[in-house]
């Protein structure tokens, strides 16, 4: 189960036919890194902690995220079962996984579907919830 704020993030982007980006491989990490590296500030991706546990998953999948992954900022994730339950990428943390409070107002990095209804590699920078409706398209 995703935290209630994590569910809100997922519902927000789902309304537009997207989902928060998943990063299950080095190849996908590099792709997302190339897309976000010129941005300022943190961005949400689809990683979340299951309520009351230390188990991390990619939203909308059964893919687990290892707490020992090299994608995490050293010292992360914090071992707090409730408060820091969403994954952000942040320029000040070298764009690595950083667990953070889900209610923080970040931009989203999203994926869209292709014609065959498979999640494709098209990444979008979606605005903050309080931001405008514009978005940028990446490769």
């Amino acid at each position: 189960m995703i935290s209630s704020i994590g569910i809100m993030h997922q519902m927000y982007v789902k309304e537009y036919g997207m989902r928060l980006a998943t990063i299950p491989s080095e190849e996908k990490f590099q792709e997302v890194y190339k897309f976000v590296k010129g941005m300022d500030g943190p961005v949400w991706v689809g990683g979340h902690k299951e309520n009351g546990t230390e188990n991390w998953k990619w939203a909308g999948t059964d893919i687990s995220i290892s707490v020992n992954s090299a994608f995490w900022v050293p010292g992360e994730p914090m071992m707090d079962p409730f408060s820091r339950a969403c994954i952000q990428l942040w320029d000040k943390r070298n764009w690595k996984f950083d667990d953070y409070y889900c209610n923080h107002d970040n931009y989203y990095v999203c994926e869209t579907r292709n014609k065959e209804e498979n999640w494709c590699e098209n990444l979008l920078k979606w605005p903050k919830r309080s931001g405008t409706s514009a978005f940028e398209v990446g490769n």
Side-chain angles (χ1 to χ4, degrees), residues 64-82:
S64 295
I65 304 167
S66 171
V67 296
N68 298 315
S69 169
F71 301 137
W72 287 100
V73 171
E76 300 287 349
M78 299 289 208
M79 293 302 165
D80 176 353
F82 294 102

Side-chain angles (χ1 to χ4, degrees), residues 80-130:
D80 176 353
F82 294 102
S83 62
R84 294 178 177 230
C86 291
I87 294 179
Q88 67 177 4
L89 304 178
W90 191 18
D91 57 336
K92 301 205 180 333
R93 306 294 301 259
N94 202 28
W95 297 111
K96 293 204 169 198
F97 296 174
D98 179 34
D99 62 331
Y100 205 66
Y101 306 101
C102 298
N103 62 346
H104 197 278
D105 198 18
N106 291 346
Y107 285 99
Y108 305 108
V109 177
C110 304
E111 299 173 314
T112 59
R113 290 184 184 259
N114 65 18
K115 292 178 185 173
E116 291 80 33
E117 295 298 309
N118 294 317
W119 292 102
C120 66
E121 303 302 314
N122 189 28
L123 299 172
L124 304 172
K125 177 189 174 191
W126 196 252
K128 299 177 183 182
R129 285 174 285 132
S130 59

Side-chain angles (χ1 to χ4, degrees), residues 23-44:
I23 308 173
S25 67
E26 175 68 28
E27 178 181 59
K28 186 68 176 278
F29 179 81
Q30 291 304 320
E31 180 184 341
V32 172
Y33 173 75
K34 286 177 191 173
F35 181 71
V36 299
K37 70 179 179 180
M39 296 179 191
D40 291 326
V43 295
W44 292 124

Side-chain angles (χ1 to χ4, degrees), residues 1-8 10 48-51 59-60 85-86:
M1 180 180 212
I2 307 173
S3 71
S4 59
I5 299 296
I7 289 171
M8 184 179 68
Q10 294 295 330
H48 66 90
K49 184 171 17 179
E50 296 179 291
N51 277 348
C86 291

